Amino acid sequence: MEKIVQFFHEFIVPTVISLGEMLLKIMIIITIVMVAIEILKALKILEWLNKRLYFFTRFLGISPQASFPLLIGIVIGITYGAGAILLSYKNKEMSKKDVILVSIFLCLCHAIFEDTLLFTALGANGLIIVPIKLLVASLATFLANYFIQKRRLLEEISIPEVII
Amino acid sequence: MCILENSHQSSGGCLNSNEDNMEQKQTFFQVIYLGLQNAIQVIWKISKIIIPVYIVVQLLDYIHILPAIGTFLAPVMEAFGLPGEAAVPIMLSNVLNIYAGIASLVSLELTVKQLTILAVMITTSHSLFIETSVLHGIQVPRWIQLCLRIGLMIILGLMMNVLWRI
């Protein structure tokens, strides 16, 4: 009996309290993020932002038509992003290269506000996390674009040699 | 455009476009309501994972299995500037999802630097089973995704540990 009381005091009470605290934090963050996303959708802020970011996507080698699925994936999440990619690929707005580049960016960096806020609530430094993630994902996409183009150039060069 | 369609088909197209315009003008409260509805769905889905994981991890800590894992993995995690126990959130968030990782992270005592490194590592590579199959659905090969995410997670962890000297 004593052991049960001790277990109750040492384990169950602190666990339930800290679990409740953590759940409350997560609930508040997710509610804020979800409402903010709906407001972004309703006010069409992402479309507005999309028009101003074309120099950035051009630097990554992504065509302007493909930058909107990218933006959706970065802000809202990978499932929405993949849906948007699929939709615009079916409408033939995106080339195969665009799909691969956007996917590489998104698999490294998606739902950036939600995930970062969750860690910031525990005490991490969000101002360091977001730039690092964006920078690394951009760099990976840029390199992928570079290699795709290089390979294409090599193919073009190698064709005459085969003919000769 | 609408008039042209009408000449060929019934007036359905024209009516539909009108309805679409009506739908786009949502009131402020409808937008908030939609957001809250989504939030409740996500919270319900998450808490089904968070609560069991949290209780199991706390129990492991209570019966001294977590510290044992920590001392076992300490040499590996030292390269990232993390304590050995930090391997548990990384594994859980890679296999299950990011929320399971967060649930197991609360019981550890970490500094801001360690938390930030861990956050970058986990947000780079998490819930691999689900997210690779989502992107596999749009014809991106799995091995590219896995190499990129796991490789960059390790590289970023090492680099941040080396470069962060404050």
Side-chain angles (χ1 to χ4, degrees), chain A residues 7 10-11 18-19 22 26 30-31 34 38 86 103 107-108 110 114-115 118-119 122 125 129 133, chain B residues 34-36 38 43 46 50 54 58-59 62 99 105-106 115-116 119 123 126 131 135 138 140 149 152:
Chain A
F7 180 74
E10 280 185 355
F11 181 71
S18 55
L19 179 64
M22 186 190 62
I26 289 176
I30 284 175
T31 311
M34 288 293 158
E38 288 303 322
L86 199 63
S103 311
C107 85
L108 291 172
H110 54 256
E114 190 184 331
D115 292 356
L118 286 172
F119 278 100
L122 296 177
N125 193 339
I129 299 170
K133 276 176 68 74
Chain B
L34 211 65
L36 289 179
N38 283 345
I43 288 168
I46 288 168
I50 282 188
Y54 189 80
Q58 290 288 333
L59 207 61
Y62 185 71
Y99 302 103
L105 199 136
V106 176
L115 258 173
T116 312
T123 50
H126 58 254
E131 290 184 352
L135 284 183
I138 52 172
V140 184
R149 299 187 76 164
L152 272 176

Side-chain angles (χ1 to χ4, degrees), chain A residues 54-126:
Chain A
Y54 72 98
F55 64 91
F56 174 64
T57 50
R58 198 175 50 191
F59 167 72
L60 298 180
I62 297 168
S63 61
Q65 301 95 310
S67 66
F68 191 54
L70 178 71
L71 205 58
I72 289 181
I74 293 175
V75 177
I76 299 178
I78 201 164
T79 323
Y80 274 95
I85 291 171
L86 199 63
L87 199 71
S88 51
Y89 186 59
K90 274 184 182 165
N91 293 339
K92 302 199 172 164
E93 286 166 0
M94 287 170 85
S95 62
K96 184 88 185 162
K97 182 187 137 195
D98 283 333
V99 173
I100 288 177
L101 290 181
V102 172
S103 311
I104 285 174
F105 195 104
L106 282 189
C107 85
L108 291 172
C109 175
H110 54 256
I112 194 163
F113 296 112
E114 190 184 331
D115 292 356
T116 309
L117 277 176
L118 286 172
F119 278 100
T120 334
L122 296 177
N125 193 339

Side-chain angles (χ1 to χ4, degrees), chain A residues 108 136, chain B residues 80 90-91 93-94 117-118 120-126 128 146-160:
Chain A
L108 291 172
V136 167
Chain B
F80 304 111
I90 291 177
M91 290 298 290
S93 55
N94 275 305
I117 291 175
L118 204 57
V120 170
M121 288 174 77
I122 288 178
T123 50
T124 306
S125 166
H126 58 254
L128 291 177
L146 288 177
C147 289
L148 256 180
R149 299 187 76 164
I150 297 175
L152 272 176
M153 174 183 82
I154 294 168
I155 292 169
L156 275 176
L158 292 174
M159 273 181 67
M160 280 187 74

Side-chain angles (χ1 to χ4, degrees), chain A residues 32-51:
Chain A
I32 291 171
V33 169
M34 288 293 158
V35 171
I37 282 172
E38 288 303 322
I39 291 171
L40 283 182
K41 275 190 201 163
L43 295 180
K44 300 199 182 293
I45 290 174
L46 288 183
E47 278 93 337
W48 178 84
L49 202 62
N50 190 22
K51 285 175 193 155

